[in-house]
Amino acid sequence: MTTETTVHVDGLTVRHRRTTALDALDLRIGRGVHGLLGPNGAGKTSLIRVLATVAPYRSGRLELLGVDPAVPAGRTSVRRRLGYLPQEFGHYPGFTVREFVAYMAWLKEVPKAAVPEAVERAMERVGLTGRADARIRTLSGGMVRRVGIAQAIVNDPELLLLDEPTAGLDPEQRVEFRALLRELGTTSTVLVSTHLVEDVATACTEVTLLDEGRVAFCGTSGELAAAGDDDAAGDSPTERGYTAALRRHRSARAASPEAAV
Amino acid sequence: MSHEPPGDDALLRAVARGDSQALADLYDRHSGWLHARLTRRCSDPETVREVLQDTFVTAWRSADGHGGGAVGGWLWVIAVRRLADARRAAARAGSRDLLAARAPGTAPSAEEDVLAGLEYGDVGAALDRISPELRAVLRATVVDGLTTRETAHLLGIPEGTVKTRASRARRELRAALVALGPAGGAAC
Amino acid sequence: MLNRRPTPAPRRAERTVRHVPDDTAAAYADGTLADSAAWSVDTHLDSCTACAIRISALVRTGGAGPLLAGVREAVLEAAAAGPRAGRTLPWRAALQSARVLRPAWVGSVLLTLAVAVALSRLGGAPEGRPWLLALAPVLPPVGVALAYGRYGDPAHELAASTPSGGLRLLLTRTGLVLAVCVPLLSAAGGVLAGAGAAVAWLLPGLVLTGATLALGSWTGCHRAAVAVTAAWLLAVALCGLPAVAVPLLLSPAAQPAWAAAAAACACLLILRRTAFDHLERP
């Protein structure tokens, strides 16, 4: 399967007041499930919000699904084909699951006649069909998270951005969710930020490790696991790879701050 | 053959109201041909069974979204999307046998059948000359009315490949028409 | 030309109502029909219920009969157990999204009415009209600020990532705010001060709403609403108390000026329509 690049990021810089969240970041992502790892404050959420076209950026160039979201027409076209689950998932507690997912389908401009079926499909894929008419406020945290995933996939997005989607899911739900991710990854570009290394090891084909707004590592999850050495901290190969890659990146930056990218 | 059955639209409205007898009637009317049509696109009987079931359960739950068009076409769109979903799930699970079965069921091409069933003459003969992969793309985009993206799901191939195959299919179809002689041109 | 070739088939089938011949139907049902012939049956079945019923019956009597019967049972069972067709009309959901947003601002409309009524009772009937007319025009802008954007809408981050999350959603919400404000305030005006007062506030109210939207394209709607409200109240104060200012600002002579201002706001909003594509500034 040829992997065409669907997300081009060139020299992306994002600042929040005085701090630099993303520092001239370059990134290429294609179809498949792509993990975004990194310590807290590494810039994972900043990157996802920029890619979701909700956050502005200071400088750099973006190309999402072949169009430039800085141009209004391109922005609209990308947004129709985008799915986004923010870390803090704001919703309407008085809505039923079905109402909320249908509302998001309306916002995403899913053709009117296709909405009911799209809503059913999305609810089914996250295992919420049985609770379709339950109000969101009556659902458990894990189920609300699944509502978030359902709204993200209701338009069958080509680019799916999920910020910490497994937070609040119990282990069994997490396993199911990873299976769904792999399924979505066969035809879409899925970018998942997570702090759970095992999410990456089991669900992601590729991994980008961010540290202080820069790319510390980019490769397949197998390569990340192989990057670990015996004295790196961690309980699994991926965890050891994670700490080793982070350590290497930091020492390289300390040695020559300009050269490290 | 000429009798007009009571309207599908009325049946679907009853389904939308939650009338399960109407659902049973709808099933009896449409399940058979849906099964036959699905079977031509997927050789795994278990997948066909699941897709068929999902299609009618979905119809039950989303009948009020039916925009008023032909009910058969509406059901088929649901079914073919479900089939694409099933293909995706199979691709994820890594069971290549399903994907391997994506080539359309090649039936012996009886000359009489082509002529009897087909109303666009030599185009039918030309279609039978192009390769099964290209025909599958044409069928998905032209007959089933799927988008490039949905076709990619259904056939388990990348969207780029769908586009290349579609344009190759058009080229080969044209070449086959030319090869079949002036009768092809007259069919325009 | 070639890629359009197959489309005449369904159209022709519809026009002349040529149904599928019996032998073709049988071959289709048992899966032995050639691909190209099956395509025309496929497209015919999309719109012909009579042939659908015939072919379905043929399939049922064939090898797939037991499977079809099994699925039938499973479907009916799932239908009996699971949720049935629900209301998924998306525009309805869009309307509801505003309903749950801020009951508070509907309350503020009612509170304003109560205050105006109370003031008119305290100071004698003629006082009610200017107070109501001074406060009424700022209610729609306040309602809009509370119904859209980062501070009013809990799902705004989600909405901001969608193609309709900008001006389309804002206008939907504005429409709903007006749908609540206009009847309530007009009725109150009519009751308090006669038919003239029922509509006198309307144009200024629309202008202030339009100004909030236009200004909001730069500053965000909540800031714009604060600024517009402050400007209006300042104007009322500068012209004297409501008793003096309101007849001046809302006189029939002033109405053309308000209409011109409303048109200007609409033009500005059209020019700035893509500005709402971005998340509102915090």
Side-chain angles (χ1 to χ4, degrees), chain C:
Chain C
M1 164 188 118
L2 280 170
N3 55 348
R4 263 187 279 124
R5 181 85 58 119
T7 40
R11 248 189 270 137
R12 183 140 45 142
E14 255 172 36
R15 224 186 294 138
T16 59
V17 201
R18 269 196 54 188
H19 291 294
V20 180
D22 284 337
D23 51 345
T24 309
Y28 185 88
D30 61 23
T32 52
L33 195 61
D35 257 359
S36 47
W39 287 18
S40 68
V41 180
D42 283 346
T43 47
H44 180 71
L45 286 173
D46 279 345
S47 57
C48 179
T49 305
C51 288
I53 291 172
R54 273 173 58 226
I55 292 180
S56 287
L58 287 171
V59 174
R60 220 172 15 247
T61 55
L67 182 146
L68 285 176
V71 173
R72 186 182 199 268
E73 217 158 278
V75 166
L76 292 178
E77 204 171 293
R84 65 173 197 87
R87 298 266 140 220
T88 30
L89 295 174
W91 56 266
R92 192 195 301 257
L95 292 187
Q96 280 169 335
S97 72
R99 172 178 62 88
V100 297
L101 281 177
R102 277 295 160 102
W105 79 263
V106 178
S108 72
V109 172
L110 296 173
L111 184 68
T112 306
L113 294 176
V115 168
V117 171
L119 286 172
S120 73
R121 287 285 171 274
L122 284 176
E127 301 297 318
R129 175 186 148 93
W131 279 102
L132 179 70
L133 291 181
L135 291 178
V138 301
L139 285 174
V142 170
V144 168
L146 288 173
Y148 179 84
R150 182 183 285 273
Y151 295 98
D153 185 350
H156 188 59
E157 170 100 5
L158 281 182
S161 73
T162 65
S164 287
L167 192 60
R168 186 175 174 215
L169 182 61
L170 176 59
L171 290 179
T172 308
R173 296 267 158 91
T174 305
L176 281 161
V177 166
L178 290 175
V180 172
C181 279
V182 170
L184 268 180
L185 292 175
S186 299
V191 168
L192 279 178
V199 290
W201 72 277
L202 201 58
L203 264 181
L206 286 179
V207 169
L208 296 193
T209 308
T212 301
L213 299 188
L215 189 60
S217 69
W218 282 282
T219 64
C221 286
H222 56 290
R223 281 194 196 133
V226 170
V228 166
T229 304
W232 168 256
L233 294 179
L234 193 66
V236 171
L238 282 180
C239 298
L241 285 173
V244 185
V246 166
L248 195 67
L249 290 170
L250 301 185
S251 65
Q255 296 289 342
W258 285 114
C265 286
C267 291
L268 200 54
L269 199 57
I270 290 167
L271 287 175
R272 295 281 302 162
R273 64 190 176 279
T274 59
F276 293 98
D277 286 0
H278 294 292
L279 201 61
E280 288 201 330
R281 260 159 260 178

